[in-house]
Amino acid sequence: MQETSLYEPVKRFLETMDFTVKGEIGGCDVVGVRAGEPPVVVICELKLQFNLELVLQAVDRAAACDEVWLAALMSARGKGREHDRRFRALCRRLGFGLLGVGSKAMWSCCSARPPCRRAATRDGARAWSRSITVARAIRRSAAARARSRS
């Protein structure tokens, strides 16, 4: 089986979510664009198995789009990385979607979303709250500088 055989199931999956999908654009395996204001751009990287190379490839693509999805062939015995809790947690923390392509079905483990906020613990929640406060202060000071210049 070749990596290109994963394109059709992934394309169908993204099309069900109202994306216009094209393959092999600028070194990306699959690129989807959903019209709207602003438009949403999704890049999906395909490999025959879930591995570190796939994750590193997705990290390289993350700056160029709104969402990154990793898609790979599911293991025949069901003991592959797609069932490894650590691998799923890594993808979730990085904000990557995870798709398993089987012979009969498409399997989505976690959806693409912004990286986790570390609010699971009290210390994480406090740190997140402080970072939000700092970000708001930076925005206010930038807006004030812009007003004073005009």
Side-chain angles (χ1 to χ4, degrees):
M1 181 171 271
Q2 293 182 344
E3 197 174 284
T4 54
S5 64
L6 302 176
Y7 174 73
E8 280 302 320
V10 171
K11 180 182 178 187
R12 282 193 308 268
F13 174 80
L14 290 174
E15 285 175 342
T16 61
M17 297 182 347
D18 298 326
F19 284 95
T20 303
V21 181
K22 302 290 181 191
E24 292 298 330
I25 296 180
C28 302
D29 294 334
V30 179
V31 177
V33 178
R34 182 169 44 204
E37 194 55 44
V40 178
V41 178
V42 172
I43 294 177
C44 185
E45 289 299 330
L46 310 174
K47 289 280 186 228
L48 291 179
Q49 59 185 345
F50 291 106
N51 54 28
L52 182 60
E53 183 62 33
L54 180 60
V55 174
L56 294 175
Q57 203 172 11
V59 168
D60 291 340
R61 306 289 187 256
C65 63
D66 299 306
E67 294 181 5
V68 177
W69 287 80
L70 309 177
L73 193 63
M74 289 177 57
S75 62
R77 293 185 290 148
K79 303 223 183 230
R81 291 254 187 236
E82 68 270 14
H83 295 292
D84 187 343
R85 186 180 45 183
R86 298 169 301 165
F87 191 78
R88 289 192 317 256
L90 174 64
C91 289
R92 194 174 297 119
R93 286 190 174 118
L94 292 172
F96 299 157
L98 191 58
L99 298 171
V101 180
S103 58
K104 297 180 182 176
M106 177 74 88
W107 170 82
S108 173
C109 169
C110 58
S111 60
R113 58 183 159 205
C116 75
R117 298 178 180 162
R118 294 188 55 220
T121 65
R122 189 180 322 164
D123 292 338
R126 267 191 245 130
W128 177 252
S129 177
R130 279 192 304 271
S131 66
I132 292 295
T133 304
V134 168
R136 286 179 183 154
I138 290 170
R139 276 192 228 124
R140 280 194 300 271
S141 66
R145 280 194 307 269
R147 281 193 304 270
S148 67
R149 289 182 189 149
S150 54

